Amino acid sequence: MPELVVDFITSLDGYGAAEGWPGWWGLQGPEYLAWLAEQPERYHTILMGATTCRQMSGFAEQPEASGIDPESEEAASIEELSNASKVVFSSTLQEPLALPNTRLVRGDPVESVRAMKRDESTPMRTVGSLTLCRSLLESGLVDRFRVVVFPVITGRTGSDRIYDGYPDVALEMVASRTFDGRIQLLEYVPTVLSGPPAEQSTA
């Protein structure tokens, strides 16, 4: 059964982006970029929701209009994503999709991903798509939870609070790494809890 990885890039206070800040908060370094190059999206099926698909379509079609230097590492990462096999779950998007190599699925994402894990062999990972990731986690379909934490707090300008609405989740650490002396990679196996551990032990 193929693995499903939920992948997040966050500030220390749990935001996925921040108004006015560059991609990766401008803090990416050579070790982190080398690690990204070792994790090519083309070996995974990328799962995303409609909002993330629209954002990625804009970046891929007009990187300069999005404030992205076409010669930058961020642009190269977006190009890698464009070339990867992708599935977008949406009831509002229409075909043909602007983002290349993307299949539109209108059905229930949880049931669709459950079928993909049963019937397909390619590993899967998410990009952005906070609501989709939360649904997949709540349904017990996520095998690994991977978070890259950048050393910045964007309390005033942060957007896309990642963990709002999440259930309680126990996380068993399976890997960690520091890039460039400041960026922290944390990998966990998640277990969704029905309540705090003390409450569970007395049930």
Side-chain angles (χ1 to χ4, degrees):
M1 181 178 292
E3 181 183 54
L4 170 59
V5 179
V6 161
D7 232 336
F8 285 135
I9 298 173
T10 82
S11 62
L12 182 61
D13 51 342
Y15 286 100
E19 184 178 353
W21 289 72
W24 296 312
W25 292 273
L27 296 172
Q28 70 275 18
E31 291 180 4
Y32 176 64
L33 294 173
W35 176 77
L36 284 180
E38 296 167 1
Q39 307 287 324
E41 276 82 356
R42 61 181 171 271
Y43 298 129
H44 292 74
T45 298
I46 309 300
L47 310 181
M48 66 180 71
T51 299
T52 298
C53 184
R54 292 187 185 99
Q55 291 172 341
M56 292 300 172
S57 296
F59 293 153
E61 290 181 320
Q62 297 180 311
E64 293 179 344
S66 304
I68 297 173
D69 180 352
E71 302 299 321
S72 68
E73 296 91 348
E74 191 174 6
S77 179
I78 291 170
E79 182 178 2
E80 182 75 34
L81 179 64
S82 295
N83 293 333
S85 174
K86 296 172 290 297
V87 175
V88 58
F89 301 97
S90 173
S91 60
T92 58
L93 292 176
Q94 301 294 325
E95 294 180 310
L97 298 172
L99 194 61
N101 304 310
T102 304
R103 175 165 59 97
L104 176 62
V105 174
R106 298 193 181 279
D108 176 50
V110 168
E111 292 307 315
S112 297
V113 172
R114 184 172 285 120
M116 291 169 68
K117 288 178 69 91
R118 183 185 65 238
D119 301 332
E120 300 180 17
S121 59
T122 304
M124 295 170 279
R125 60 180 292 264
T126 62
V127 169
S129 310
L130 303 185
T131 301
L132 173 65
C133 292
R134 185 171 64 239
S135 297
L136 296 175
L137 183 72
E138 289 173 334
S139 301
L141 293 172
V142 176
D143 300 292
R144 192 154 43 99
F145 201 84
R146 184 165 67 185
V147 182
V148 178
V149 182
F150 281 74
V152 61
I153 294 173
T154 53
R156 180 175 299 170
T157 57
S159 59
D160 300 333
R161 281 185 63 86
I162 289 175
Y163 306 113
D164 285 356
Y166 262 60
D168 289 353
V169 182
L171 299 170
E172 177 189 355
M173 181 174 284
V174 294
S176 66
R177 181 176 173 182
T178 300
F179 301 108
D180 306 297
R182 60 180 182 266
I183 301 167
Q184 190 70 45
L185 167 69
L186 304 168
E187 297 192 44
Y188 302 98
V189 173
T191 301
V192 177
L193 304 176
S194 59
E199 176 184 316
Q200 288 191 322
S201 64
T202 59

